[in-house]
Every structure is written in C-alpha cells, then in structure tokens.
Amino acid sequence: MGRKIAVISALQEELSEILQLMPDEQRVPIGGRTFWQGHLQDHDVVAVLSGIGKVAAATTTAVLLERFEPEMVIVTGVAGGLSMDASVGDIVVGTGFSQHDMDASPLFQRWEMPGYGRSRFDADPVLVQVLQEAAKDAVTWLPKLLDAQTMTELGLHRPHVHQGDIITGDRFISTAADSNALRAAFPEAWAVDMETAAVAQVCHDHGIPFGAVRVVSDRADEEAHVDFQHFLNQVARHYSARIVRKALNLL
C-alpha cells in the first residue's frame, strides 16, 4: 500500500521532468498554483511548482497541506554551494533549515523565528536516509547520462553527496563577499536557496515529515548567474527526476 507524498519544485524545468514520470497526472488549479495529482512508484503523488522565494514557497505549502493532506513532503531543486567542500554537481541532503535573512533583534535573537524559540527546523530522519540513498544513486548515474566532454565543460568531476544544513533567504547569492559572510554566520550550512526553510516551517506547523535535497548549481559567487541556467537545463532537471523516482521506490 503506497503513501500520499507531496513533491515541491521551485522551478518549472525541475517539475516538468518529474511530471513525465506520472503518466496519469491530473491538473488541479488552486490559488494561483497548479497542483498535479497522479501516481509514481505505487504512491499517490501531488507535485507542485512553488515559485521562487519564501512567501511563494510558504503559501504553496500551506495550500498543499490543507487541500491534499500528504503524509510527507519532499523539496527538490538547485542551490548555491556554500561550504568550501561543496562543488558544482554535488548533492546536499538537508538535515536542518534556517532563514539567513530573519532578524527581529533586539526583540529576539538574530535568526530566531518569533514565536518558535528556535532558528532551525529539522528534517525528518527517515526522509534524510531515503534521500541520501537516492542521491547516491543519482551521482553514480550522472556519468551515464552525460559524456566525458560535457561533464568537463560543466565542471563536473566526481560529484559527491553531503548531509548538512541548508539556509534560505529572499536573495539570490551571487557575490563572494555575500557567500563568505553567510559561511561565517552559518558554518554548518552546505547550501543556500530561496525556499526550503519556508517550506520546513509550514510543515513543522502541521506536523508533517519533511525532507529536502538540493543540487549544487553554482558556487554562490560572481559566476552564479552564468552557471545557474546552464546547469539547470543540462543537469539539475534530470537529477531531480532521478532522485524523486528512487526516493519513492525506497519509501
């Protein structure tokens, strides 16, 4: 007996590849979003495009949980590599999520979420393990998808899978100065994006297990805007579909 699982993507390219795995998907428009219901790996699946940014991600997740009542939520997509050990093509399986632009001081400690007494939301440990195995499969499979020349052109050498924190903010990080500042403030963070921590907060509010996996598309520096779209089209959209299919097979 399968489960009811929700998959959230931030970008259309990622979502399109996942929908191709769901031949019976049905379109359900709600609140300016389109939700897709179907089946994948014997599970009932709801897939949705969140849009970019924390507000878009939070509103999408709230509607998703209220209307479709999934048993768990998975976010997949791309992110900027923050750790010095995170290279383009690596995959980060999130273990904790914080908002790097949250600052209600002096009323609260910097980065603390008002009303929560915390600055970090944890990933579901079962989903962490499942996504870890799915990500390992994806990095092994990638050289079979791309030839050696394409791997070299994209700067992909030997992609690795990492577990660690992912931080979120309403800003595309595209300078070395900004990434250095975030690295100093969040030494445990492996990647930075614009949606994940917002989704984690809404899932926390509803008591729904949550997991996230992000593919490093750029180094969050001056070349980020150049690398991002190219990597998304050539690699990340295929990665996302492979990871989701494998993860659902393991659940």
Side-chain angles (χ1 to χ4, degrees), residues 59-229:
T59 56
T60 301
T61 306
V63 172
L64 170 68
L65 299 184
E66 285 292 324
R67 295 296 184 94
F68 298 96
E69 300 182 338
E71 297 176 47
M72 58 185 62
V73 174
I74 296 172
V75 167
T76 180
V78 295
L82 204 57
S83 168
M84 296 303 294
D85 294 323
S87 300
V88 172
D90 285 0
I91 299 176
V92 178
V93 177
T95 53
F97 315 97
S98 303
Q99 296 183 36
H100 66 75
D101 56 355
M102 173 57 68
D103 189 356
S105 59
L107 299 177
F108 300 88
Q109 293 292 320
R110 189 180 183 189
W111 304 308
E112 180 181 334
M113 302 299 300
Y116 291 86
R118 62 166 69 190
S119 60
R120 180 179 183 273
F121 294 99
D122 296 325
D124 177 74
V126 172
L127 283 175
V128 169
Q129 185 59 41
V130 166
L131 291 173
Q132 175 80 10
E133 293 302 315
K136 286 181 179 179
D137 169 76
V139 297
T140 302
W141 162 79
L142 186 64
K144 301 175 184 177
L145 174 69
L146 303 175
D147 57 43
Q149 181 178 346
T150 303
M151 292 278 287
T152 300
E153 289 174 353
L154 291 170
L156 306 177
H157 302 292
R158 295 182 60 190
H160 292 81
V161 179
H162 311 283
Q163 283 189 23
D165 285 4
I166 298 172
I167 59 175
T168 296
D170 279 323
R171 188 157 52 99
F172 185 78
I173 304 302
S174 58
T175 70
D178 285 342
S179 59
N180 287 338
L182 290 176
R183 194 177 300 114
F186 295 89
E188 301 301 317
W190 277 86
V192 56
D193 66 24
M194 298 180 66
E195 299 83 27
T196 305
V199 179
Q201 182 175 341
V202 178
C203 288
H204 170 84
D205 289 346
H206 287 257
I208 300 298
F210 170 76
V213 58
R214 291 279 185 168
V215 180
V216 176
S217 61
D218 57 81
R219 285 290 309 152
D221 56 17
E222 283 76 7
E223 295 299 315
H225 66 291
V226 177
D227 299 340
F228 179 79
Q229 193 64 45

